[in-house]
Amino acid sequence: MTIHFAALTLGFLLDLLLGDPHWAPHPIRGIGHLISSLEKLLRRIFPPSPRGLLIGGFFLVVLTAGISTGLTVLLLWGCHLISPWLRFAVETLLCYQLLATKALRDESMAVYKKLEERDLPGARHAVSMIVGRDTENLDEGGVTRAAVETVAENAGDGVIAPLIFLAIGGAPLGMFYKACNTMDSMVGYKNDRYLYFGRCAARWDDVLNFIPARLAGVLLCLAAPLAGLDGKNACRIFRRDRKNHKSPNSAHTEAAAAGALHVQLAGPNYYFGRLVEKPTIGDDDRPIEPADIRRVNRLLYAGAGLGWLLMAVLPLVIVML
């Protein structure tokens, strides 16, 4: 178990230092290709009726999660047969690749850089790479809000939740979580194409993130003073607005970030050309500004550090006792 948590810790540090090298093979991209291939296959097998699409979506979840987890178990088992140190190295690499702290910072700071250069079209393009909403008509405040929201939301399912699953079950359980989370991001939409086919993936992702989302919100509240932000207001808005979303999990970290920054997030946005009404999160104490992207990244790193402390150091102390 000590070696297991050492792999998690080293992987976490590698993520903070190196981020996601886009030129290197990445398991999440592999999972994305698997999901796309399985979707094509299952849509050919099952009829395009609501019932058929629901059944096909169920098998998508089972096959994607099963294949991703099973291959990870086999990989680590094979490495262990060769050398325990090889298994440790491979598990460390997988822990590193399943976390997204620095990738979130780098992608959002690319938006910040364009805003600082007064390049609004460039900022719209940069933010379109990390959000699902329509970005072509966003003003500076809209672009900034989108970047802040995606950092806050993904602090949960991109950092804290993977840390939890990695701490509990190592790289196999971490891969299981990321496979399910990737399915939700690819097919969990309430549009004509995925209303039925993506429903199982969306519901299962809600189940998996139920506890991690709430823990992530608490961790961001605790991290706010460490990041030089308002921890008291983060806790207040977290308690008040953490359910201001149709998803049972999405608003928790956004509420903590909105309170810490004293800005208002969420509200109506366009998705695939359609206006989607959403409640606001936080108080409009001041206009949001590009510097808030830097601030929310400080909050992200402080929250990630607390998450690592909770998931890695405390279990080690318990084992030693």
mmCIF file of all heavy atoms in Angstrom, residues 26-36 38 57 60-72 97-98 157 162 165 171-188 200-202 204-205 208-209:
data_model
loop_
_atom_site.group_PDB
_atom_site.id
_atom_site.type_symbol
_atom_site.label_atom_id
_atom_site.label_comp_id
_atom_site.label_asym_id
_atom_site.label_seq_id
_atom_site.Cartn_x
_atom_site.Cartn_y
_atom_site.Cartn_z
ATOM 1 N N HIS A 26 -1.861 9.023 -25.031
ATOM 2 C CA HIS A 26 -2.564 9.295 -23.771
ATOM 3 C C HIS A 26 -3.749 8.344 -23.649
ATOM 4 O O HIS A 26 -4.506 8.158 -24.617
ATOM 5 C CB HIS A 26 -3.052 10.749 -23.748
ATOM 6 C CG HIS A 26 -3.401 11.249 -22.391
ATOM 7 N ND1 HIS A 26 -4.530 10.834 -21.703
ATOM 8 C CD2 HIS A 26 -2.766 12.126 -21.558
ATOM 9 C CE1 HIS A 26 -4.575 11.436 -20.529
ATOM 10 N NE2 HIS A 26 -3.527 12.214 -20.419
ATOM 11 N N PRO A 27 -3.938 7.728 -22.482
ATOM 12 C CA PRO A 27 -5.043 6.756 -22.337
ATOM 13 C C PRO A 27 -6.422 7.368 -22.560
ATOM 14 O O PRO A 27 -7.330 6.686 -23.046
ATOM 15 C CB PRO A 27 -4.884 6.242 -20.898
ATOM 16 C CG PRO A 27 -4.040 7.249 -20.195
ATOM 17 C CD PRO A 27 -3.145 7.810 -21.243
ATOM 18 N N ILE A 28 -6.612 8.639 -22.222
ATOM 19 C CA ILE A 28 -7.928 9.249 -22.397
ATOM 20 C C ILE A 28 -8.263 9.388 -23.876
ATOM 21 O O ILE A 28 -9.417 9.194 -24.289
ATOM 22 C CB ILE A 28 -8.002 10.620 -21.703
ATOM 23 C CG1 ILE A 28 -7.619 10.476 -20.221
ATOM 24 C CG2 ILE A 28 -9.402 11.209 -21.828
ATOM 25 C CD1 ILE A 28 -8.447 9.469 -19.460
ATOM 26 N N ARG A 29 -7.273 9.695 -24.692
ATOM 27 C CA ARG A 29 -7.522 9.742 -26.135
ATOM 28 C C ARG A 29 -7.864 8.350 -26.653
ATOM 29 O O ARG A 29 -8.720 8.191 -27.529
ATOM 30 C CB ARG A 29 -6.320 10.336 -26.868
ATOM 31 C CG ARG A 29 -6.184 11.842 -26.664
ATOM 32 C CD ARG A 29 -5.181 12.436 -27.641
ATOM 33 N NE ARG A 29 -3.804 12.192 -27.217
ATOM 34 C CZ ARG A 29 -3.138 12.993 -26.374
ATOM 35 N NH1 ARG A 29 -3.742 14.060 -25.858
ATOM 36 N NH2 ARG A 29 -1.890 12.729 -26.046
ATOM 37 N N GLY A 30 -7.190 7.330 -26.101
ATOM 38 C CA GLY A 30 -7.517 5.957 -26.471
ATOM 39 C C GLY A 30 -8.944 5.600 -26.081
ATOM 40 O O GLY A 30 -9.666 4.947 -26.843
ATOM 41 N N ILE A 31 -9.375 6.026 -24.901
ATOM 42 C CA ILE A 31 -10.749 5.782 -24.457
ATOM 43 C C ILE A 31 -11.731 6.498 -25.379
ATOM 44 O O ILE A 31 -12.791 5.969 -25.727
ATOM 45 C CB ILE A 31 -10.929 6.236 -22.998
ATOM 46 C CG1 ILE A 31 -10.169 5.303 -22.055
ATOM 47 C CG2 ILE A 31 -12.400 6.282 -22.613
ATOM 48 C CD1 ILE A 31 -10.114 5.776 -20.615
ATOM 49 N N GLY A 32 -11.376 7.711 -25.800
ATOM 50 C CA GLY A 32 -12.241 8.450 -26.718
ATOM 51 C C GLY A 32 -12.437 7.712 -28.031
ATOM 52 O O GLY A 32 -13.556 7.633 -28.559
ATOM 53 N N HIS A 33 -11.347 7.151 -28.578
ATOM 54 C CA HIS A 33 -11.461 6.369 -29.816
ATOM 55 C C HIS A 33 -12.303 5.112 -29.586
ATOM 56 O O HIS A 33 -13.086 4.715 -30.459
ATOM 57 C CB HIS A 33 -10.072 5.988 -30.316
ATOM 58 C CG HIS A 33 -9.266 7.140 -30.835
ATOM 59 N ND1 HIS A 33 -9.751 8.013 -31.791
ATOM 60 C CD2 HIS A 33 -8.005 7.568 -30.544
ATOM 61 C CE1 HIS A 33 -8.828 8.930 -32.069
ATOM 62 N NE2 HIS A 33 -7.772 8.681 -31.318
ATOM 63 N N LEU A 34 -12.133 4.475 -28.424
ATOM 64 C CA LEU A 34 -12.921 3.286 -28.100
ATOM 65 C C LEU A 34 -14.414 3.624 -28.050
ATOM 66 O O LEU A 34 -15.250 2.889 -28.590
ATOM 67 C CB LEU A 34 -12.458 2.713 -26.754
ATOM 68 C CG LEU A 34 -13.274 1.542 -26.196
ATOM 69 C CD1 LEU A 34 -13.188 0.332 -27.124
ATOM 70 C CD2 LEU A 34 -12.793 1.172 -24.793
ATOM 71 N N ILE A 35 -14.755 4.740 -27.398
ATOM 72 C CA ILE A 35 -16.155 5.151 -27.298
ATOM 73 C C ILE A 35 -16.747 5.407 -28.683
ATOM 74 O O ILE A 35 -17.858 4.967 -28.999
ATOM 75 C CB ILE A 35 -16.282 6.405 -26.412
ATOM 76 C CG1 ILE A 35 -15.918 6.066 -24.958
ATOM 77 C CG2 ILE A 35 -17.693 6.992 -26.480
ATOM 78 C CD1 ILE A 35 -15.750 7.279 -24.080
ATOM 79 N N SER A 36 -16.001 6.105 -29.530
ATOM 80 C CA SER A 36 -16.493 6.400 -30.883
ATOM 81 C C SER A 36 -16.717 5.117 -31.684
ATOM 82 O O SER A 36 -17.731 4.975 -32.380
ATOM 83 C CB SER A 36 -15.501 7.302 -31.614
ATOM 84 O OG SER A 36 -15.369 8.555 -30.968
ATOM 85 N N LEU A 38 -17.226 2.018 -30.467
ATOM 86 C CA LEU A 38 -18.332 1.257 -29.898
ATOM 87 C C LEU A 38 -19.675 1.893 -30.223
ATOM 88 O O LEU A 38 -20.667 1.187 -30.455
ATOM 89 C CB LEU A 38 -18.154 1.145 -28.378
ATOM 90 C CG LEU A 38 -17.068 0.190 -27.887
ATOM 91 C CD1 LEU A 38 -16.910 0.299 -26.373
ATOM 92 C CD2 LEU A 38 -17.403 -1.252 -28.278
ATOM 93 N N GLY A 57 -26.919 2.300 -25.260
ATOM 94 C CA GLY A 57 -26.162 3.163 -24.354
ATOM 95 C C GLY A 57 -25.698 2.420 -23.107
ATOM 96 O O GLY A 57 -24.602 2.675 -22.594
ATOM 97 N N LEU A 60 -22.754 0.441 -24.086
ATOM 98 C CA LEU A 60 -21.608 1.329 -24.253
ATOM 99 C C LEU A 60 -20.898 1.540 -22.922
ATOM 100 O O LEU A 60 -19.656 1.481 -22.850
ATOM 101 C CB LEU A 60 -22.065 2.676 -24.818
ATOM 102 C CG LEU A 60 -20.963 3.735 -24.961
ATOM 103 C CD1 LEU A 60 -20.012 3.362 -26.090
ATOM 104 C CD2 LEU A 60 -21.559 5.122 -25.203
ATOM 105 N N VAL A 61 -21.662 1.783 -21.860
ATOM 106 C CA VAL A 61 -21.079 1.988 -20.538
ATOM 107 C C VAL A 61 -20.364 0.728 -20.069
ATOM 108 O O VAL A 61 -19.207 0.772 -19.605
ATOM 109 C CB VAL A 61 -22.167 2.398 -19.530
ATOM 110 C CG1 VAL A 61 -21.605 2.416 -18.104
ATOM 111 C CG2 VAL A 61 -22.744 3.758 -19.887
ATOM 112 N N VAL A 62 -21.028 -0.416 -20.187
ATOM 113 C CA VAL A 62 -20.447 -1.674 -19.703
ATOM 114 C C VAL A 62 -19.163 -2.012 -20.456
ATOM 115 O O VAL A 62 -18.132 -2.350 -19.846
ATOM 116 C CB VAL A 62 -21.470 -2.818 -19.841
ATOM 117 C CG1 VAL A 62 -20.815 -4.167 -19.538
ATOM 118 C CG2 VAL A 62 -22.657 -2.590 -18.916
ATOM 119 N N LEU A 63 -19.203 -1.913 -21.780
ATOM 120 C CA LEU A 63 -18.045 -2.296 -22.589
ATOM 121 C C LEU A 63 -16.886 -1.320 -22.420
ATOM 122 O O LEU A 63 -15.725 -1.728 -22.272
ATOM 123 C CB LEU A 63 -18.446 -2.392 -24.064
ATOM 124 C CG LEU A 63 -19.379 -3.555 -24.414
ATOM 125 C CD1 LEU A 63 -19.859 -3.426 -25.862
ATOM 126 C CD2 LEU A 63 -18.678 -4.884 -24.207
ATOM 127 N N THR A 64 -17.177 -0.031 -22.436
ATOM 128 C CA THR A 64 -16.104 0.961 -22.308
ATOM 129 C C THR A 64 -15.425 0.858 -20.949
ATOM 130 O O THR A 64 -14.184 0.820 -20.859
ATOM 131 C CB THR A 64 -16.651 2.382 -22.513
ATOM 132 O OG1 THR A 64 -17.262 2.484 -23.792
ATOM 133 C CG2 THR A 64 -15.531 3.404 -22.417
ATOM 134 N N ALA A 65 -16.224 0.815 -19.890
ATOM 135 C CA ALA A 65 -15.650 0.720 -18.543
ATOM 136 C C ALA A 65 -14.925 -0.602 -18.356
ATOM 137 O O ALA A 65 -13.822 -0.654 -17.782
ATOM 138 C CB ALA A 65 -16.745 0.887 -17.500
ATOM 139 N N GLY A 66 -15.526 -1.695 -18.837
ATOM 140 C CA GLY A 66 -14.917 -3.007 -18.660
ATOM 141 C C GLY A 66 -13.612 -3.158 -19.413
ATOM 142 O O GLY A 66 -12.617 -3.656 -18.871
ATOM 143 N N ILE A 67 -13.589 -2.734 -20.671
ATOM 144 C CA ILE A 67 -12.370 -2.856 -21.479
ATOM 145 C C ILE A 67 -11.253 -1.977 -20.911
ATOM 146 O O ILE A 67 -10.101 -2.412 -20.776
ATOM 147 C CB ILE A 67 -12.666 -2.498 -22.944
ATOM 148 C CG1 ILE A 67 -13.580 -3.560 -23.573
ATOM 149 C CG2 ILE A 67 -11.365 -2.366 -23.746
ATOM 150 C CD1 ILE A 67 -14.105 -3.189 -24.950
ATOM 151 N N SER A 68 -11.569 -0.726 -20.579
ATOM 152 C CA SER A 68 -10.550 0.203 -20.070
ATOM 153 C C SER A 68 -9.951 -0.305 -18.754
ATOM 154 O O SER A 68 -8.726 -0.299 -18.569
ATOM 155 C CB SER A 68 -11.171 1.587 -19.854
ATOM 156 O OG SER A 68 -11.727 2.088 -21.043
ATOM 157 N N THR A 69 -10.819 -0.749 -17.840
ATOM 158 C CA THR A 69 -10.340 -1.238 -16.554
ATOM 159 C C THR A 69 -9.597 -2.555 -16.711
ATOM 160 O O THR A 69 -8.527 -2.755 -16.115
ATOM 161 C CB THR A 69 -11.523 -1.417 -15.577
ATOM 162 O OG1 THR A 69 -12.292 -0.222 -15.525
ATOM 163 C CG2 THR A 69 -11.021 -1.757 -14.177
ATOM 164 N N GLY A 70 -10.155 -3.464 -17.506
ATOM 165 C CA GLY A 70 -9.526 -4.769 -17.680
ATOM 166 C C GLY A 70 -8.142 -4.669 -18.301
ATOM 167 O O GLY A 70 -7.204 -5.360 -17.863
ATOM 168 N N LEU A 71 -7.994 -3.830 -19.310
ATOM 169 C CA LEU A 71 -6.683 -3.670 -19.936
ATOM 170 C C LEU A 71 -5.664 -3.090 -18.958
ATOM 171 O O LEU A 71 -4.483 -3.461 -18.974
ATOM 172 C CB LEU A 71 -6.800 -2.771 -21.170
ATOM 173 C CG LEU A 71 -7.490 -3.389 -22.391
ATOM 174 C CD1 LEU A 71 -7.597 -2.364 -23.521
ATOM 175 C CD2 LEU A 71 -6.744 -4.627 -22.880
ATOM 176 N N THR A 72 -6.115 -2.186 -18.098
ATOM 177 C CA THR A 72 -5.212 -1.607 -17.095
ATOM 178 C C THR A 72 -4.762 -2.663 -16.101
ATOM 179 O O THR A 72 -3.569 -2.741 -15.739
ATOM 180 C CB THR A 72 -5.910 -0.454 -16.357
ATOM 181 O OG1 THR A 72 -6.381 0.501 -17.303
ATOM 182 C CG2 THR A 72 -4.941 0.234 -15.403
ATOM 183 N N GLN A 97 -1.096 10.535 -15.891
ATOM 184 C CA GLN A 97 -1.899 10.828 -17.072
ATOM 185 C C GLN A 97 -3.386 10.972 -16.761
ATOM 186 O O GLN A 97 -4.119 11.576 -17.543
ATOM 187 C CB GLN A 97 -1.688 9.731 -18.119
ATOM 188 C CG GLN A 97 -0.293 9.732 -18.725
ATOM 189 C CD GLN A 97 -0.146 8.691 -19.815
ATOM 190 O OE1 GLN A 97 -0.442 7.523 -19.605
ATOM 191 N NE2 GLN A 97 0.298 9.112 -20.981
ATOM 192 N N LEU A 98 -3.831 10.428 -15.635
ATOM 193 C CA LEU A 98 -5.251 10.500 -15.294
ATOM 194 C C LEU A 98 -5.611 11.769 -14.530
ATOM 195 O O LEU A 98 -6.778 11.993 -14.236
ATOM 196 C CB LEU A 98 -5.656 9.267 -14.476
ATOM 197 C CG LEU A 98 -5.593 7.941 -15.236
ATOM 198 C CD1 LEU A 98 -5.928 6.775 -14.312
ATOM 199 C CD2 LEU A 98 -6.520 7.945 -16.441
ATOM 200 N N ASP A 157 -14.033 16.911 -11.409
ATOM 201 C CA ASP A 157 -13.908 15.652 -12.151
ATOM 202 C C ASP A 157 -12.590 15.504 -12.894
ATOM 203 O O ASP A 157 -12.305 14.435 -13.436
ATOM 204 C CB ASP A 157 -15.087 15.467 -13.116
ATOM 205 C CG ASP A 157 -15.230 16.603 -14.126
ATOM 206 O OD1 ASP A 157 -14.288 17.396 -14.280
ATOM 207 O OD2 ASP A 157 -16.291 16.693 -14.759
ATOM 208 N N PRO A 162 -10.538 12.044 -9.648
ATOM 209 C CA PRO A 162 -9.518 11.038 -9.975
ATOM 210 C C PRO A 162 -8.597 10.725 -8.797
ATOM 211 O O PRO A 162 -8.218 9.561 -8.610
ATOM 212 C CB PRO A 162 -8.739 11.691 -11.125
ATOM 213 C CG PRO A 162 -9.697 12.631 -11.741
ATOM 214 C CD PRO A 162 -10.539 13.157 -10.620
ATOM 215 N N PHE A 165 -10.460 8.154 -6.608
ATOM 216 C CA PHE A 165 -10.515 6.800 -7.164
ATOM 217 C C PHE A 165 -9.131 6.174 -7.246
ATOM 218 O O PHE A 165 -8.983 4.961 -7.027
ATOM 219 C CB PHE A 165 -11.186 6.835 -8.535
ATOM 220 C CG PHE A 165 -12.680 6.973 -8.458
ATOM 221 C CD1 PHE A 165 -13.281 8.221 -8.438
ATOM 222 C CD2 PHE A 165 -13.488 5.857 -8.376
ATOM 223 C CE1 PHE A 165 -14.664 8.358 -8.350
ATOM 224 C CE2 PHE A 165 -14.872 5.976 -8.292
ATOM 225 C CZ PHE A 165 -15.457 7.228 -8.274
ATOM 226 N N ALA A 171 -4.464 2.641 -10.193
ATOM 227 C CA ALA A 171 -4.681 3.004 -11.592
ATOM 228 C C ALA A 171 -5.892 2.312 -12.220
ATOM 229 O O ALA A 171 -6.598 2.940 -13.014
ATOM 230 C CB ALA A 171 -3.420 2.714 -12.401
ATOM 231 N N PRO A 172 -6.196 1.037 -11.901
ATOM 232 C CA PRO A 172 -7.390 0.417 -12.513
ATOM 233 C C PRO A 172 -8.687 1.150 -12.180
ATOM 234 O O PRO A 172 -9.502 1.407 -13.067
ATOM 235 C CB PRO A 172 -7.380 -1.003 -11.937
ATOM 236 C CG PRO A 172 -5.943 -1.285 -11.668
ATOM 237 C CD PRO A 172 -5.394 0.026 -11.183
ATOM 238 N N LEU A 173 -8.877 1.507 -10.903
ATOM 239 C CA LEU A 173 -10.105 2.207 -10.537
ATOM 240 C C LEU A 173 -10.083 3.636 -11.073
ATOM 241 O O LEU A 173 -11.130 4.181 -11.449
ATOM 242 C CB LEU A 173 -10.286 2.217 -9.020
ATOM 243 C CG LEU A 173 -11.687 2.607 -8.530
ATOM 244 C CD1 LEU A 173 -12.731 1.638 -9.072
ATOM 245 C CD2 LEU A 173 -11.749 2.653 -7.009
ATOM 246 N N GLY A 174 -8.906 4.246 -11.124
ATOM 247 C CA GLY A 174 -8.794 5.569 -11.733
ATOM 248 C C GLY A 174 -9.165 5.534 -13.206
ATOM 249 O O GLY A 174 -9.854 6.434 -13.713
ATOM 250 N N MET A 175 -8.730 4.478 -13.908
ATOM 251 C CA MET A 175 -9.072 4.348 -15.326
ATOM 252 C C MET A 175 -10.562 4.093 -15.498
ATOM 253 O O MET A 175 -11.185 4.606 -16.444
ATOM 254 C CB MET A 175 -8.273 3.192 -15.945
ATOM 255 C CG MET A 175 -8.307 3.163 -17.451
ATOM 256 S SD MET A 175 -7.432 4.562 -18.213
ATOM 257 C CE MET A 175 -5.724 4.117 -17.838
ATOM 258 N N PHE A 176 -11.149 3.307 -14.597
ATOM 259 C CA PHE A 176 -12.586 3.071 -14.623
ATOM 260 C C PHE A 176 -13.344 4.397 -14.514
ATOM 261 O O PHE A 176 -14.268 4.666 -15.290
ATOM 262 C CB PHE A 176 -12.970 2.146 -13.465
ATOM 263 C CG PHE A 176 -14.454 2.012 -13.236
ATOM 264 C CD1 PHE A 176 -15.208 1.145 -13.999
ATOM 265 C CD2 PHE A 176 -15.086 2.761 -12.252
ATOM 266 C CE1 PHE A 176 -16.584 1.028 -13.794
ATOM 267 C CE2 PHE A 176 -16.451 2.648 -12.033
ATOM 268 C CZ PHE A 176 -17.201 1.774 -12.815
ATOM 269 N N TYR A 177 -12.928 5.239 -13.574
ATOM 270 C CA TYR A 177 -13.606 6.524 -13.399
ATOM 271 C C TYR A 177 -13.452 7.395 -14.644
ATOM 272 O O TYR A 177 -14.431 7.981 -15.134
ATOM 273 C CB TYR A 177 -13.061 7.265 -12.186
ATOM 274 C CG TYR A 177 -13.558 8.691 -12.140
ATOM 275 C CD1 TYR A 177 -14.852 8.968 -11.731
ATOM 276 C CD2 TYR A 177 -12.751 9.752 -12.570
ATOM 277 C CE1 TYR A 177 -15.347 10.269 -11.742
ATOM 278 C CE2 TYR A 177 -13.234 11.044 -12.585
ATOM 279 C CZ TYR A 177 -14.529 11.301 -12.167
ATOM 280 O OH TYR A 177 -15.012 12.586 -12.202
ATOM 281 N N LYS A 178 -12.240 7.501 -15.176
ATOM 282 C CA LYS A 178 -12.021 8.383 -16.321
ATOM 283 C C LYS A 178 -12.735 7.876 -17.568
ATOM 284 O O LYS A 178 -13.183 8.675 -18.397
ATOM 285 C CB LYS A 178 -10.524 8.534 -16.597
ATOM 286 C CG LYS A 178 -9.776 9.327 -15.535
ATOM 287 C CD LYS A 178 -10.354 10.718 -15.333
ATOM 288 C CE LYS A 178 -10.172 11.630 -16.529
ATOM 289 N NZ LYS A 178 -10.679 13.014 -16.261
ATOM 290 N N ALA A 179 -12.865 6.559 -17.707
ATOM 291 C CA ALA A 179 -13.620 6.023 -18.834
ATOM 292 C C ALA A 179 -15.075 6.464 -18.743
ATOM 293 O O ALA A 179 -15.678 6.901 -19.735
ATOM 294 C CB ALA A 179 -13.514 4.495 -18.856
ATOM 295 N N CYS A 180 -15.656 6.363 -17.554
ATOM 296 C CA CYS A 180 -17.054 6.759 -17.366
ATOM 297 C C CYS A 180 -17.226 8.263 -17.529
ATOM 298 O O CYS A 180 -18.201 8.730 -18.132
ATOM 299 C CB CYS A 180 -17.536 6.309 -15.980
ATOM 300 S SG CYS A 180 -17.542 4.512 -15.765
ATOM 301 N N ASN A 181 -16.289 9.030 -17.014
ATOM 302 C CA ASN A 181 -16.362 10.480 -17.126
ATOM 303 C C ASN A 181 -16.202 10.940 -18.574
ATOM 304 O O ASN A 181 -16.868 11.885 -19.020
ATOM 305 C CB ASN A 181 -15.285 11.101 -16.240
ATOM 306 C CG ASN A 181 -15.387 12.609 -16.146
ATOM 307 O OD1 ASN A 181 -14.501 13.332 -16.579
ATOM 308 N ND2 ASN A 181 -16.479 13.106 -15.583
ATOM 309 N N THR A 182 -15.320 10.267 -19.321
ATOM 310 C CA THR A 182 -15.132 10.602 -20.728
ATOM 311 C C THR A 182 -16.376 10.279 -21.538
ATOM 312 O O THR A 182 -16.755 11.024 -22.451
ATOM 313 C CB THR A 182 -13.916 9.847 -21.303
ATOM 314 O OG1 THR A 182 -12.756 10.139 -20.508
ATOM 315 C CG2 THR A 182 -13.643 10.258 -22.740
ATOM 316 N N MET A 183 -17.035 9.155 -21.205
ATOM 317 C CA MET A 183 -18.305 8.837 -21.873
ATOM 318 C C MET A 183 -19.329 9.946 -21.664
ATOM 319 O O MET A 183 -20.024 10.355 -22.596
ATOM 320 C CB MET A 183 -18.863 7.517 -21.332
ATOM 321 C CG MET A 183 -18.373 6.295 -22.047
ATOM 322 S SD MET A 183 -19.235 4.804 -21.496
ATOM 323 C CE MET A 183 -18.535 4.597 -19.855
ATOM 324 N N ASP A 184 -19.433 10.431 -20.438
ATOM 325 C CA ASP A 184 -20.398 11.498 -20.159
ATOM 326 C C ASP A 184 -20.083 12.742 -20.979
ATOM 327 O O ASP A 184 -20.987 13.393 -21.508
ATOM 328 C CB ASP A 184 -20.381 11.822 -18.666
ATOM 329 C CG ASP A 184 -21.344 12.960 -18.320
ATOM 330 O OD1 ASP A 184 -22.549 12.803 -18.557
ATOM 331 O OD2 ASP A 184 -20.866 14.007 -17.827
ATOM 332 N N SER A 185 -18.801 13.073 -21.089
ATOM 333 C CA SER A 185 -18.426 14.281 -21.836
ATOM 334 C C SER A 185 -18.645 14.124 -23.336
ATOM 335 O O SER A 185 -18.795 15.110 -24.056
ATOM 336 C CB SER A 185 -16.963 14.644 -21.560
ATOM 337 O OG SER A 185 -16.099 13.661 -22.093
ATOM 338 N N MET A 186 -18.690 12.866 -23.828
ATOM 339 C CA MET A 186 -18.850 12.644 -25.258
ATOM 340 C C MET A 186 -20.292 12.359 -25.670
ATOM 341 O O MET A 186 -20.716 12.763 -26.763
ATOM 342 C CB MET A 186 -17.959 11.477 -25.718
ATOM 343 C CG MET A 186 -16.473 11.787 -25.679
ATOM 344 S SD MET A 186 -15.440 10.406 -26.233
ATOM 345 C CE MET A 186 -15.912 10.266 -27.961
ATOM 346 N N VAL A 187 -21.055 11.670 -24.824
ATOM 347 C CA VAL A 187 -22.406 11.266 -25.234
ATOM 348 C C VAL A 187 -23.482 11.699 -24.245
ATOM 349 O O VAL A 187 -24.671 11.469 -24.501
ATOM 350 C CB VAL A 187 -22.495 9.730 -25.450
ATOM 351 C CG1 VAL A 187 -21.437 9.250 -26.428
ATOM 352 C CG2 VAL A 187 -22.368 8.976 -24.128
ATOM 353 N N GLY A 188 -23.100 12.318 -23.134
ATOM 354 C CA GLY A 188 -24.087 12.655 -22.111
ATOM 355 C C GLY A 188 -24.812 13.959 -22.350
ATOM 356 O O GLY A 188 -24.914 14.796 -21.443
ATOM 357 N N CYS A 200 -27.642 6.566 -20.022
ATOM 358 C CA CYS A 200 -27.005 5.684 -19.041
ATOM 359 C C CYS A 200 -25.642 6.232 -18.628
ATOM 360 O O CYS A 200 -25.300 6.226 -17.449
ATOM 361 C CB CYS A 200 -26.868 4.280 -19.612
ATOM 362 S SG CYS A 200 -26.208 3.072 -18.437
ATOM 363 N N ALA A 201 -24.868 6.707 -19.613
ATOM 364 C CA ALA A 201 -23.548 7.278 -19.303
ATOM 365 C C ALA A 201 -23.677 8.500 -18.409
ATOM 366 O O ALA A 201 -22.907 8.673 -17.453
ATOM 367 C CB ALA A 201 -22.826 7.645 -20.600
ATOM 368 N N ALA A 202 -24.661 9.359 -18.698
ATOM 369 C CA ALA A 202 -24.851 10.569 -17.895
ATOM 370 C C ALA A 202 -25.275 10.224 -16.472
ATOM 371 O O ALA A 202 -24.758 10.793 -15.501
ATOM 372 C CB ALA A 202 -25.892 11.467 -18.557
ATOM 373 N N TRP A 204 -24.798 7.388 -14.831
ATOM 374 C CA TRP A 204 -23.730 6.694 -14.126
ATOM 375 C C TRP A 204 -22.644 7.673 -13.685
ATOM 376 O O TRP A 204 -22.087 7.550 -12.591
ATOM 377 C CB TRP A 204 -23.155 5.602 -15.014
ATOM 378 C CG TRP A 204 -22.114 4.740 -14.393
ATOM 379 C CD1 TRP A 204 -20.888 4.438 -14.896
ATOM 380 C CD2 TRP A 204 -22.189 4.028 -13.140
ATOM 381 N NE1 TRP A 204 -20.198 3.609 -14.057
ATOM 382 C CE2 TRP A 204 -20.980 3.341 -12.963
ATOM 383 C CE3 TRP A 204 -23.173 3.932 -12.152
ATOM 384 C CZ2 TRP A 204 -20.709 2.562 -11.843
ATOM 385 C CZ3 TRP A 204 -22.902 3.153 -11.025
ATOM 386 C CH2 TRP A 204 -21.704 2.479 -10.881
ATOM 387 N N ASP A 205 -22.349 8.653 -14.521
ATOM 388 C CA ASP A 205 -21.377 9.668 -14.139
ATOM 389 C C ASP A 205 -21.883 10.474 -12.943
ATOM 390 O O ASP A 205 -21.100 10.834 -12.062
ATOM 391 C CB ASP A 205 -21.105 10.600 -15.328
ATOM 392 C CG ASP A 205 -20.019 11.619 -15.034
ATOM 393 O OD1 ASP A 205 -18.843 11.225 -14.961
ATOM 394 O OD2 ASP A 205 -20.354 12.811 -14.857
ATOM 395 N N LEU A 208 -21.186 8.312 -9.849
ATOM 396 C CA LEU A 208 -19.763 8.253 -9.496
ATOM 397 C C LEU A 208 -19.263 9.560 -8.896
ATOM 398 O O LEU A 208 -18.387 9.557 -8.024
ATOM 399 C CB LEU A 208 -18.930 7.909 -10.729
ATOM 400 C CG LEU A 208 -19.062 6.490 -11.289
ATOM 401 C CD1 LEU A 208 -18.182 6.331 -12.516
ATOM 402 C CD2 LEU A 208 -18.695 5.446 -10.241
ATOM 403 N N ASN A 209 -19.815 10.689 -9.342
ATOM 404 C CA ASN A 209 -19.325 11.988 -8.888
ATOM 405 C C ASN A 209 -20.100 12.553 -7.702
ATOM 406 O O ASN A 209 -19.785 13.656 -7.245
ATOM 407 C CB ASN A 209 -19.378 12.997 -10.046
ATOM 408 C CG ASN A 209 -18.185 12.876 -10.964
ATOM 409 O OD1 ASN A 209 -17.046 13.051 -10.556
ATOM 410 N ND2 ASN A 209 -18.447 12.529 -12.218
#
